[in-house]
Amino acid sequence: MRLVRYNGGRIGVLAKDGVVDVTPVVRVDPEEWPPVGMLRVIRHFDTLRPDIEAQVASAPALPLSQARLQAPIAWPNKVIAYPINYVDHATEMSVTSYANVAGFFLKASSSLIGPHEAIELPDLPGRSVHHECELAIIIGREGRDIAAADALDHVLGYACLLDITIRGKEERVMRKSYDTFTVLGPCITTADEVGDASDIRLALWVNDQPRQDARTRDLIVDIPNMIALASSAATLCPGDIIATGTPSGVGPIVDGDRVTIEIERVGRMSVPVRQGRRGRNFVFDPSLSRSSRQTP
Ligand code: MN
């Protein structure tokens, strides 16, 4: 099953001929704040699934052209991300500290957007913003200290994820947490539909030029061990997102580009890149006055 959020917080299922609205079936109020309805759908998915399937079998579908897809999860408890998790990416970044040594970091949940939005480049003249093509794991069942052997029982499904990054030496969380810097979608494809995710292809194009092309078999820390490692520190909650790291081929994106990501059996989406006018600050531009005092 392919779950989506669309048209202002509605919950739907991607079917052959479009999107079937299941918002009433899963009892989500599209106007709710905070927008956590999908988290409850994920938490209760096994119970809700028969009713969702019945709706998909009987209700008409909205043509995809009339569905504005949003990030399938808007307010996760956390977005966990693994750094250097493919050896070839470590080589291109000239680093020798891999995810199995460094562990994970977090990205701001407010950086999430969906496939019908645009990546907004901050106004940071001279700074390079890169695309990173990643498989996202969507946690379905809460757990702490999950054993690698049990990890897949905690996975609801998978999605495509773009981990957009300002290159530099500043704090990584800040460089990766700008609004629009975590593109998630086009849907959550449930694990039963993806099947074995341990050797699937992920690829990325910028303006139809191939930039990244790899397989999950080349992950340094594999999917079960990423879940085990993260949950050794933090309770994983339904709807948590794990960005699994990017293979080699990262590179700059600029105003007017279109970034396309495709992951085998998971999905495909394209998003435009726009130059924004926000985002300058004294960390990235020391010529700006510091707010209260100079650094020591
Ligand atoms: Mn990344």
Side-chain angles (χ1 to χ4, degrees), residues 82-96:
Y82 280 92
I84 311 299
N85 205 13
Y86 288 85
V87 171
D88 56 356
H89 176 55
T91 304
E92 75 177 350
M93 300 302 288
S94 304
V95 297
T96 52

Side-chain angles (χ1 to χ4, degrees), residues 168-197:
K169 300 282 188 204
E170 299 82 4
E171 173 57 56
R172 172 163 46 202
V173 169
M174 183 174 175
R175 291 187 287 106
K176 288 173 172 280
S177 285
Y178 272 70
D179 280 9
T180 75
F181 272 22
T182 308
V183 190
L184 186 75
C187 54
I188 301 167
T189 303
T190 52
D192 58 315
E193 202 150 315
V194 175
D196 181 3

